Amino acid sequence: MRFNRGKPGLFRFNPPTGTKFNNRKQTEPQGEKITPTLCYVATGDTTPDELLSTVMTAVLTDVGLSPDQLGDVCVGNVLQPGAGALMARVAQFLSGFPEAVPVYTVNRQCSSGLQALFNVAGAIRNRSIDLGLACGVESMSLRSIGEPGDLSSRLMQNHKARDCIIPMGITSENVAEKFGVSREKQDSFAVSSHLKAARAQSSGLFSQEIVPVTTRSVDEDGSDREVTVSQDDGVRPGTTLTALGKLRPAFRPDGSTTAGNSSQVSDGAAAVLIGRRSAVQALGLPVLGVLRASAVVGVPPDVMGIGPAVAIPAALQQAGLTIDDIDVFEINEAFASQAVYCVEKLGIPLEKVNPNGGAIALGHPLGCTGARQVVTLLHELRRRGRRAYGVVSMCIGTGMGAAAVFEYPGP
């Protein structure tokens, strides 16, 4: 499994003086953290409440904020029963939060962590709260995608409804076939993801994002030992096109989607502190960015991976920006097929896409990914040392896409 990299922390988004845009976009993330991601084979004993507690605690510690100052906490989760409502409340108490601080969970599948941020930002915009914590967490080693639940038999009579239960790997094959994304393009994209992530990891770029997690690991001989994980362990610096080319298709005998050009099954957690501009300034919290726009769209369920190609233009239109204005795109690499399609469809220069690698190398803990991407993006924008814009986007199972536009106002 993987623990999503990143240290818990706060980040806020403040529009620069003189900038005019809709007030609902002026929420300010103030800090963020993520746990390191662990590959599925590493350990399966760390429960999601422990992962979540790690980042919740670290975020508030980083900025010196007492948890009783939070107006609400929203946690993205997909696989836990009831979207992890019980798990999230337990994590709060494990973190030392007072019972007066409320919490709830949200499940918009792969965008759940980003949706948690949207929800907290919305509560700030409508003046329900001044400060909130947006989180995401998933343990794919303890819970896997199982039965779809209790559904009407009429589902099979409606092709759009029926397409909602197509396995994700088959939707990847559908995208590759329909839009002509070759196996070579997919494998090349996957190699690039690993090499970029390896370079970032070896350069220490992730160290500011990640809070170490201490967990238990069971070795092959059955012995149990305590380990501390401080970096993502799914990154493979030696990945080559030749090696990936030897992998068999995972979903169709004649397909092109493999274990090597798909996102990794992972565990992880991420947390982001968001505040109203006036509250952030009054508390003297550091500003890491400004939420400029957000969008969620629907697309055909059988090619759900194209979601970012529709969501990104919608978010950019809200922000009054174009593809050329954006410095960094963090696009979730659920599958190389859909990531390649979206990048080519929108005409995004590859050097702007996931400069520190993506989910193929870093993993995709479903409920956590959106929040993790925000953390990674904000740190990358800050490294630019100037005013810069970034986009976070992902496809969503059952046929949707989500995107958000952030601004780093400069040092």
Side-chain angles (χ1 to χ4, degrees):
M1 60 168 125
R2 304 172 117 201
F3 293 100
N4 262 22
R5 72 177 196 291
K7 307 173 186 176
L10 304 169
F11 69 86
R12 62 180 169 192
F13 291 88
N14 280 333
T17 303
T19 298
K20 295 182 179 180
F21 52 86
N22 193 310
N23 185 58
R24 66 193 181 91
K25 304 303 180 189
Q26 295 186 17
T27 48
E28 306 160 4
Q30 302 139 316
E32 75 284 323
K33 296 290 184 179
I34 52 182
T35 63
T37 55
L38 293 183
C39 289
Y40 185 82
V41 297
T43 173
D45 299 325
T46 306
T47 55
D49 52 346
E50 291 285 6
L51 292 177
L52 184 56
S53 175
T54 298
V55 292
M56 282 179 160
T57 303
V59 168
L60 299 189
T61 300
D62 274 3
V63 297
L65 190 73
S66 172
D68 60 13
Q69 293 179 278
L70 296 174
D72 206 352
V73 178
C74 184
V75 179
N77 183 261
V78 178
L79 300 179
Q80 288 292 306
L86 172 61
M87 175 273 300
R89 186 62 164 167
V90 169
Q92 268 195 310
F93 290 136
L94 294 178
S95 305
F97 283 32
E99 62 186 32
V101 177
V103 63
Y104 69 105
T105 59
V106 61
N107 179 359
R108 202 194 284 267
Q109 301 189 81
C110 298
S111 73
S112 297
L114 185 61
Q115 186 63 51
L117 187 148
F118 291 167
N119 288 8
V120 173
I124 292 170
R125 290 194 300 262
N126 67 27
R127 302 194 175 276
S128 297
I129 62 173
D130 289 327
L131 293 169
L133 198 59
C135 310
V137 65
E138 205 70 71
S139 172
M140 298 182 75
S141 56
L142 295 179
R143 293 275 175 174
S144 59
I145 300 174
E147 292 299 315
D150 303 316
L151 299 173
S152 169
S153 59
R154 295 196 301 120
L155 169 147
M156 301 307 294
Q157 301 165 21
N158 182 301
H159 79 278
K160 291 294 183 183
R162 186 172 63 247
D163 286 350
C164 289
I165 60 173
I166 294 176
M168 293 298 96
I170 298 301
T171 71
S172 172
E173 294 289 5
N174 291 346
V175 170
E177 181 179 354
K178 183 172 183 177
F179 300 106
V181 183
S182 69
R183 168 73 181 267
E184 183 178 6
K185 278 188 176 182
Q186 293 174 60
D187 286 351
S188 178
F189 187 88
V191 169
S192 176
S193 182
H194 279 284
L195 295 182
K196 289 185 291 186
R199 183 174 63 248
Q201 192 174 68
S202 64
S203 300
L205 297 187
F206 295 146
S207 60
Q208 293 181 331
E209 303 175 27
I210 295 177
V211 57
V213 173
T214 299
T215 184
R216 308 296 302 180
S217 178
V218 179
D219 295 331
E220 291 183 359
D221 61 4
S223 61
D224 181 86
R225 62 189 176 91
E226 183 176 273
V227 295
T228 297
V229 182
S230 58
Q231 66 177 19
D232 303 322
D233 70 350
V235 181
R236 299 181 176 88
T239 302
T240 65
L241 272 175
T242 300
L244 292 188
K246 296 177 180 178
L247 297 177
R248 296 178 180 178
F251 304 101
R252 286 180 181 164
D254 60 345
S256 58
T257 300
T258 71
N261 58 36
S262 304
S263 58
Q264 299 184 31
V265 175
S266 309
D267 298 347
V272 176
L273 178 63
I274 309 171
R276 185 185 312 283
R277 188 176 196 177
S278 58
V280 168
Q281 291 174 337
L283 292 168
L285 298 172
V287 176
L288 295 182
V290 180
L291 175 60
R292 292 293 305 269
S294 61
V296 182
V297 302
V299 298
D302 63 329
V303 287
M304 66 91 201
I306 71 173
V310 182
I312 289 174
L316 289 176
Q317 183 177 22
Q318 286 187 34
L321 299 170
T322 68
I323 293 288
D324 292 339
D325 294 320
I326 305 303
D327 297 274
V328 179
F329 290 84
E330 282 288 334
I331 300 175
N332 189 40
E333 300 168 357
F335 300 97
S337 62
Q338 54 85 207
V340 169
Y341 166 77
C342 292
V343 169
E344 292 184 346
K345 175 68 175 179
L346 297 178
I348 303 173
L350 275 175
E351 62 269 18
K352 290 186 175 184
V353 178
N354 302 345
N356 300 310
I360 290 174
L362 301 172
H364 177 24
L366 305 178
C368 168
T369 289
R372 194 282 299 170
Q373 288 178 282
V374 172
V375 175
T376 300
L377 174 70
L378 293 177
H379 282 278
E380 179 61 28
L381 292 181
R382 184 168 61 178
R383 280 192 288 269
R384 304 299 167 104
R386 56 173 173 78
R387 183 181 182 184
Y389 295 98
V391 166
V392 166
S393 186
M394 70 285 293
C395 57
I396 305 170
T398 70
M400 289 175 279
V405 181
F406 297 95
E407 176 188 353
Y408 173 63

